Amino acid sequence: MSESSASGRKLVLSTLLETDHYESLIKDLTCTKCNKYMKPPIYLCVDGHSICGLCYEKSYQCHVCKKEFALIRSQILESLANKMMFPCTNEGCPKHANLALLEKHIAHCQYRIIKCFMARVYGECIWEGRAGEWMDHCFAEHKEKVTDLPFITVNDKWNGKRTEPVLNYFLLKCYERIFNVYQIYDKKGGRMMWTVLVNDDQAEKFYFEVDIFLPNVPSKRIVYRRPCKCEKDADFLEHTQNVFIPIENIFSMLDESESINFTVRIGEVENLPLLETPTASESLILLNSDYKEEE
């Protein structure tokens, strides 16, 4: 298919989606009880009023005519529902898709209205707006919590009286993605946890490093490397591939102001070298080399 014919089909489809006739079909496929798009199964009452499957399960009579439901479903409406391109319900969004794809889209639509997630962690922000505008808001109002670099360095004073498990939350905008960095204190388990989530089904292509250090004391350092995970993973907090560090190890890394210093870095797995275990002689050579360099 040529580019001109493809663009022509898109223009025809775009024009069709904007017609009153198409909008009327969308209205006919919208449940008049919950006001959501109907997908199979679609039920009818004895007078022919339609209702979506979820509302049907919670109803004992038709909400329009108050009569009982029929023992049949509407094959015509179900067939149309499977073929239609429904518009996104978020105001201003131009997206049209079938119901299966639209459900996935709406959950991550850049036009959906959200509240600033920083408020859930730090309790200071009252911003509310489109998801696509949130990063601009964060760069303007939460500069110390966001960066457009693949790393962020933190100096965080330890407070044993904290009750919320999420101690810190950061955003790293890099590799054309947004990486969500969580630092969590599992008080019951006696450990500190770091995890990094990205809205990408191929999240395993990226890794993160947690580098805990004591300024001016190069001999004390803790470094962990783990794969990033997709934020759609409902069990990400329980995942064994997060960074877990016993709290006593964290205490041993507090500086003179009782602060923990750490850097979180994001990288691409494909750029990591494959490491081989050095032999005893190689280890000795490396050790002697480092020793001579320090001298």
Side-chain angles (χ1 to χ4, degrees):
M1 182 185 295
S2 65
E3 291 185 7
S4 58
S5 60
S7 60
R9 289 186 62 181
K10 290 181 179 178
L11 179 60
V12 171
L13 177 59
S14 176
T15 303
L16 173 62
L17 296 177
E18 294 175 358
T19 61
D20 292 339
H21 174 68
Y22 205 88
E23 289 185 2
S24 178
L25 288 175
I26 296 296
K27 185 177 180 180
D28 290 338
L29 290 169
T30 302
C31 179
T32 55
K33 185 171 185 179
C34 67
N35 204 35
K36 295 180 180 179
Y37 299 141
M38 293 189 293
K39 61 180 179 180
I42 299 175
Y43 295 93
L44 300 173
C45 76
V46 293
D47 276 357
H49 300 122
S50 58
I51 189 172
C52 72
L54 292 177
C55 289
Y56 171 80
E57 292 177 358
K58 296 183 290 186
S59 306
Y60 61 92
Q61 64 181 15
C62 177
H63 63 289
V64 178
C65 64
K66 308 302 180 185
K67 295 183 180 179
E68 69 273 14
F69 291 108
L71 298 178
I72 58 173
R73 287 159 47 182
S74 175
Q75 293 185 356
I76 294 177
L77 288 178
E78 290 184 359
S79 177
L80 283 173
N82 286 327
K83 298 174 182 176
M84 293 289 287
M85 300 285 285
F86 291 86
C88 177
T89 54
N90 293 312
E91 184 178 355
C93 181
K95 178 75 173 182
H96 285 72
N98 61 49
L99 287 176
L101 293 178
L102 193 64
E103 287 180 355
K104 296 180 180 179
H105 161 79
I106 289 178
H108 303 282
C109 176
Q110 295 298 292
Y111 287 82
R112 74 189 190 280
I113 301 300
I114 64 170
K115 293 182 179 180
C116 181
F117 187 79
M118 294 290 180
R120 295 178 60 181
V121 180
Y122 304 109
E124 301 170 350
C125 187
I126 60 173
W127 180 88
E128 184 177 288
R130 288 179 173 176
E133 300 170 350
W134 182 49
M135 280 301 297
D136 292 336
H137 157 75
C138 288
F139 273 104
E141 302 297 333
H142 305 289
K143 296 178 182 178
E144 72 283 4
K145 306 296 182 185
V146 297
T147 177
D148 54 5
L149 298 172
F151 65 89
I152 189 167
T153 299
V154 182
N155 175 270
D156 187 48
K157 188 170 181 61
W158 175 255
N159 181 1
K161 295 181 179 180
R162 290 175 175 173
T163 57
E164 294 297 324
V166 181
L167 300 183
N168 282 296
Y169 170 68
F170 308 100
L171 294 171
L172 277 63
K173 186 178 182 180
C174 52
Y175 302 108
E176 300 181 349
R177 292 165 175 82
I178 305 297
F179 294 83
N180 301 265
V181 180
Y182 294 84
Q183 180 195 3
I184 298 173
Y185 177 31
D186 178 10
K187 190 173 183 178
K188 185 177 180 180
R191 58 188 182 175
M192 192 79 74
M193 186 193 84
W194 281 264
T195 189
V196 175
L197 306 182
V198 57
N199 182 20
D200 194 314
D201 291 332
Q202 297 181 324
E204 69 279 358
K205 290 186 176 182
F206 300 92
Y207 69 90
F208 71 98
E209 285 183 346
V210 177
D211 187 344
I212 305 172
F213 58 92
L214 265 175
N216 305 317
V217 186
S219 61
K220 297 197 71 173
R221 185 180 180 191
I222 302 174
V223 182
Y224 278 81
R225 178 184 293 163
R226 293 291 186 269
C228 295
K229 293 179 290 299
C230 179
E231 63 182 28
K232 298 176 185 177
D233 181 1
D235 298 327
F236 72 90
L237 289 179
E238 302 299 328
H239 207 291
T240 57
Q241 291 184 330
N242 294 322
V243 169
F244 291 103
I245 303 178
I247 198 64
E248 57 267 23
N249 291 0
I250 298 296
F251 289 157
S252 70
M253 299 296 291
L254 296 181
D255 62 20
E256 294 179 353
S257 65
E258 294 190 349
S259 298
I260 178 175
N261 299 271
F262 64 90
T263 297
V264 177
R265 304 184 189 91
I266 307 295
E268 294 179 294
V269 173
E270 65 179 7
N271 292 326
L272 284 174
L274 293 177
L275 301 179
E276 296 182 357
T277 303
T279 64
S281 59
E282 287 174 335
S283 299
L284 187 60
I285 292 172
L286 289 173
L287 180 62
N288 291 335
S289 175
D290 291 342
Y291 179 74
K292 290 177 182 179
E293 289 179 1
E294 290 178 1
E295 289 184 334

